[in-house]
């Protein structure tokens, strides 16, 4: 079967990770990526054999710096089946007419409004709804994380309501303009935060209320989650559900994984490129059950958690995998994702 031809527009935090993940898929081919600036990222891509495309008006800027470009965005769109838009939040929507004109299928990221695409997407929650669609929005890092644990729990007992507090990293490590300040900032002060409604773009039936604060760190987000279920449940039921779910790791404070810094250190120890942790980490000791109430704390590596979902979204759009399980198996094996208790 012919491989799915994929292009990525935007080669920043998310774009470079998705592009590299596409290259690892046996059923996909990365045709090229679009860069607007002829910077170190462009040189990195070129040196690693990734074909560069740019906007028509920027071609000379690349040539002046001696960086070879294969063509324009339109040239790339003419030779692919799926475009993954990984441009800054809000910019993706402005490209939609260009993608539509080229007749390619489209994936947008969580920084876009939900109406940019036909379906907001989380593999563990609504893969089937995205099958054969023209456009998908992979929800944000925080929403992806909440959906992974909520939909996993929902398989064991119906989740009736969720209340979650999101402790957000101030910026990604490379973002020098948004650097952490020495403060804790309500985000926003007016409750609730936008994360609950974002979860509802995938699970419209869920009663969910969220709040968020920004803290001075760049490593990860942490969520404190309370869920009320339709029935009582045991701690063992919850542990089994999280332990056997794909893309969730149970980490133990007892074994020294006490903080996001320890998680980063462990990801470095096991040789993860850029210390990426696309798995959702749930602290084992935090999982608490009281009748129909379940509580837990989870850590989210914002730079990489949405990468597996982007890969699955490509298969859903093209119907290359008819079930989430089929896509998860391929994605998780090729990306070397862990599950269960670690280390
Ligand atoms: P980024 O700023 O790291 O990367 C964006 C890339 O797009 C950069 O390479 C930039 O040069 C390029 N770009 C800028 N303007 C462009 C244009 N007009 N056309 C083409 N390329 C352009 O951003 P990011 O963090 O990768 O975010 C991309 C999307 O992913 C956003 O919707 C964001 O909300 C979402 N997202 C980000 C994170 C995160 O934590 N970084 C997590 C999940 C989802």
């Amino acid at each position: 079967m012919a491989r799915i031809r994929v292009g990525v527009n935007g080669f920043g935090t998310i774009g470079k990770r998705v592009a590299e993940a596409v290259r690892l898929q046996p059923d996909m081919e990365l045709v090229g990526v679009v860069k607007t600036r002829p910077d170190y990222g462009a040189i990195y891509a070129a040196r690693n054999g990734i074909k560069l495309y740019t906007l028509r008006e920027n071609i000379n800027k690349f040539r002046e710096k001696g960086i070879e470009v294969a063509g324009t965005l339109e040239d790339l769109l003419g030779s692919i089946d799926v475009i993954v838009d990984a441009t800054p939040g809000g910019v993706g929507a402005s490209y939609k007419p260009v993608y539509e004109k080229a007749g390619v299928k489209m994936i947008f990221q969580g920084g876009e409004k939900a109406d940019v695409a036909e379906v907001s997407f989380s593999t563990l929650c609504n893969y089937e709804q995205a099958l054969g669609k023209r456009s998908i929005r992979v929800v944000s890092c925080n929403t992806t994380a909440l959906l992974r644990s909520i939909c996993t729990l929902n398989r064991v007992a119906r989740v009736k309501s969720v209340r979650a507090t999101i402790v957000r990293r101030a910026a990604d490590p490379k973002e020098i303009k948004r650097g952490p300040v020495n403060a804790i900032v309500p985000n926003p002060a007016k409750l609730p935060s936008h994360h609950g409604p974002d979860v509802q773009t995938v699970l419209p039936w869920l009663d969910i209320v969220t709040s968020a604060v920004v803290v001075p760190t760049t490593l990860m987000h942490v969520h404190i989650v309370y869920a009320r279920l339709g029935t009582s449940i045991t701690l063992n039921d919850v542990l089994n559900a999280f332990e056997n779910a794909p893309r969730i790791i149970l980490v133990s404070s007892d074994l020294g994984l006490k903080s996001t810094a320890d998680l980063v250190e462990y990801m470095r120890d096991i040789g993860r490129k850029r210390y990426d942790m696309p798995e959702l980490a749930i602290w084992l000791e935090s999982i608490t059950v009281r009748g129909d109430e379940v509580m837990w704390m989870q850590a989210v590596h914002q730079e990489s958690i949405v990468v597996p979902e982007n890969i699955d979204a490509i298969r859903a759009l093209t119907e290359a995998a008819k079930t989430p399980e089929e896509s998860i198996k391929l994605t998780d094996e090729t990306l070397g994702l862990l599950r269960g208790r670690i280390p």
Side-chain angles (χ1 to χ4, degrees):
M1 210 176 88
R3 292 193 294 166
I4 310 161
R5 299 168 304 161
V6 181
V8 177
N9 188 13
F11 195 67
T13 303
I14 302 300
K16 65 178 145 189
R17 288 172 168 84
V18 171
E20 290 181 353
V22 167
R23 289 179 103 190
L24 296 173
Q25 305 309 309
D27 54 346
M28 298 179 196
E29 174 195 354
L30 179 73
V31 177
V33 303
V34 179
K35 276 281 303 166
T36 44
R37 276 176 309 197
D39 59 8
Y40 73 92
I43 295 169
Y44 167 81
R47 285 193 183 151
N48 284 284
I50 295 176
K51 268 201 208 156
L52 283 170
Y53 292 78
T54 191
L55 307 182
R56 192 174 304 279
E57 61 270 25
N58 291 346
I59 284 196
N60 281 339
K61 291 186 198 157
F62 279 74
R63 295 210 169 119
E64 279 160 19
K65 290 228 161 71
I67 302 173
E68 197 184 323
V69 280
T72 62
L73 166 67
E74 286 74 14
D75 294 330
L76 176 65
L77 293 174
S79 52
I80 58 176
D81 306 303
V82 178
I83 185 80
V84 180
D85 185 284
T87 60
V91 174
S94 67
Y95 278 109
K96 192 175 174 188
V98 184
Y99 303 153
E100 280 175 331
K101 193 171 164 208
V104 295
K105 295 206 171 198
M106 303 157 262
I107 293 174
F108 297 95
Q109 306 303 316
E112 304 303 318
K113 293 201 179 112
D115 64 7
V116 75
E118 288 163 280
V119 58
S120 285
F121 179 80
S122 156
T123 309
L124 298 189
C125 301
N126 70 341
Y127 185 91
E128 284 89 353
Q129 264 178 36
L131 279 172
K133 291 278 193 286
R134 286 215 66 75
S135 58
I136 288 179
R137 168 178 167 265
V138 173
V139 291
S140 74
C141 47
N142 282 307
T143 309
T144 294
L146 286 167
L147 286 166
R148 275 200 202 156
S149 46
I150 293 168
C151 285
T152 296
L153 201 53
N154 195 53
R155 287 206 175 88
V156 191
R158 186 164 174 81
V159 178
K160 276 172 60 182
S161 63
V162 171
R163 304 289 178 258
T165 301
I166 291 152
V167 183
R168 299 183 66 177
R169 60 90 179 97
D172 287 342
K174 69 166 191 190
E175 289 182 304
I176 54 174
K177 289 184 186 152
R178 295 173 63 187
V181 290
N182 183 21
I184 299 173
V185 188
N187 181 243
K190 187 171 161 28
L191 294 174
S193 72
H194 73 274
H195 304 92
D198 203 34
V199 166
Q200 287 168 329
T201 63
V202 177
L203 304 177
W205 48 266
L206 183 67
D207 168 12
I208 176 167
V209 179
T210 53
S211 53
V213 290
V214 173
V215 296
T217 180
T218 62
L219 301 179
M220 288 186 202
H221 307 295
V222 166
H223 300 166
I224 303 156
V225 192
Y226 294 76
R228 190 173 282 277
L229 311 178
T231 52
S232 288
I233 193 171
T234 67
L235 177 61
N236 249 347
D237 293 332
V238 179
L239 285 174
N240 280 337
F242 286 152
E243 195 163 0
N244 293 311
R247 301 177 188 173
I248 291 182
I249 49 177
L250 290 176
V251 300
S252 168
S253 180
D254 229 28
L255 286 173
L257 294 171
K258 292 176 190 295
S259 67
T260 52
D262 294 309
L263 290 172
V264 166
E265 191 63 12
Y266 185 66
M267 292 301 138
R268 285 175 169 152
D269 286 346
I270 63 172
R272 282 284 174 86
K273 188 167 183 178
R274 308 184 177 104
Y275 68 76
D276 281 355
M277 189 183 78
E279 301 91 347
L280 173 69
I282 297 182
W283 271 287
L284 198 51
E285 295 85 353
S286 74
I287 305 171
T288 305
V289 179
R290 284 198 191 149
D292 61 356
E293 268 192 315
V294 186
M295 295 156 243
W296 69 93
M297 282 195 256
Q298 57 186 32
V300 185
H301 184 230
Q302 74 279 357
E303 296 175 285
S304 63
I305 191 163
V306 297
V307 173
E309 272 71 5
N310 270 276
I311 298 299
D312 300 329
I314 295 170
R315 290 201 185 95
L317 280 180
T318 54
E319 298 184 83
K322 297 278 191 211
T323 63
E325 292 77 20
E326 210 185 316
S327 185
I328 288 169
K329 189 170 185 306
L330 256 183
T331 305
D332 292 12
E333 270 175 25
T334 51
L335 302 186
L337 296 193
L338 303 170
R339 61 162 82 186
R341 296 182 193 218
I342 64 143

